[in-house]
């Protein structure tokens, strides 16, 4: 993606716990005080996931802190929020989730160049413990190789 965007929240644990098969971009329906909190970076997607019900996709477990000056306009921080995607995309995702045993996990929340809040959703398959150990071992091996190359260039 060559677009400029300001990443507000990143779900690093998702890439550790899941294999990401595909990614999708979705808008998110927020209230006025919620978007102000998101722009201030007061959002967490660590324990969140997306759910498809009645042809609509919603995100659950996404925490947006109440806006400081919001008083009575603030809403519940962990409320269910609707994601905005095309109907055919939602039906395609619903089919893949039912048949392949995949889940929808939010990977990033960001503000795009037009100023809209977007969520990057990953169609993910869960990792087993041995898969996690394998990816950690690969990262360690790459780190060691990079160090060895740096050391050989210094001499």
């Amino acid at each position: 993606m060559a677009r400029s965007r300001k990443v507000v929240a990143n779900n690093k644990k998702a890439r550790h716990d899941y294999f990401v098969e595909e990614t999708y971009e979705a808008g998110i329906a927020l209230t006025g005080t919620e978007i102000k909190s998101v722009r201030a970076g007061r959002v967490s997607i660590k324990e969140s996931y997306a759910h498809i019900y009645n042809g609509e996709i919603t995100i659950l477990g996404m925490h947006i802190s109440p806006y400081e000056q919001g008083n009575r306009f603030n809403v519940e921080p962990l409320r269910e929020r609707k994601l905005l995607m095309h109907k055919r995309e939602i039906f395609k995702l619903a089919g893949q989730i039912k048949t392949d045993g995949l889940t929808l996990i939010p990977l990033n929340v960001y503000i795009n160049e037009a100023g809209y809040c977007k969520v990057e959703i990953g169609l993910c398959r869960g990792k087993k413990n041995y898969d996690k150990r394998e990816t950690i071992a690969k990262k360690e091996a790459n780190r060691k190789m990079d160090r060895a190359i740096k050391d050989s260039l210094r001499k």
Side-chain angles (χ1 to χ4, degrees):
M1 263 183 195
R3 297 184 231 166
S4 67
R5 62 185 192 179
K6 177 188 170 202
V7 176
V8 180
N10 196 359
N11 192 352
K12 292 179 186 174
K13 194 162 173 64
R15 296 202 189 270
H16 181 264
D17 291 341
Y18 299 96
F19 291 114
V20 179
E21 308 273 322
E22 290 182 58
T23 59
Y24 295 92
E25 183 181 67
I28 184 167
L30 299 172
T31 64
T33 55
E34 282 179 322
I35 189 66
K36 288 184 178 194
S37 283
V38 168
R39 286 197 175 120
R42 298 172 50 98
V43 60
S44 171
I45 56 171
K46 283 187 178 130
E47 297 295 321
S48 61
Y49 62 96
H51 174 69
I52 298 175
Y53 183 72
N54 284 344
E56 290 186 349
I57 186 167
T58 56
I59 190 167
L60 298 115
M62 179 178 177
H63 186 276
I64 298 178
S65 298
Y67 185 59
E68 305 278 320
Q69 291 83 30
N71 57 42
R72 67 177 184 191
F73 298 109
N74 281 329
V75 293
E76 185 183 336
L78 284 172
R79 76 179 180 92
E80 201 173 291
R81 295 174 179 89
K82 185 176 176 183
L83 295 181
L84 310 171
M85 293 179 78
H86 291 285
K87 207 59 131 172
R88 65 182 173 276
E89 281 182 316
I90 294 173
F91 288 136
K92 178 184 170 191
L93 286 174
Q96 287 180 321
I97 289 170
K98 284 182 183 173
T99 58
D100 301 339
L102 302 171
T103 52
L104 291 171
I105 306 291
L107 303 173
N108 290 325
V109 176
Y110 59 93
I111 308 291
N112 69 1
E113 70 277 352
Y116 294 115
C117 183
K118 301 283 184 178
V119 179
E120 183 179 16
I121 294 178
L123 191 61
C124 303
R125 183 181 312 281
K127 282 186 183 179
K128 305 280 188 241
N129 279 334
Y130 59 85
D131 290 328
K132 292 178 190 178
R133 285 193 287 268
E134 189 179 305
T135 55
I136 290 170
K138 283 181 185 176
K139 283 183 184 178
E140 283 293 324
N142 286 338
R143 226 177 266 136
K144 283 182 182 178
M145 287 191 325
D146 289 342
R147 275 194 210 121
I149 291 170
K150 264 188 185 176
D151 290 341
S152 67
L153 291 176
R154 285 183 187 166
K155 292 179 182 179

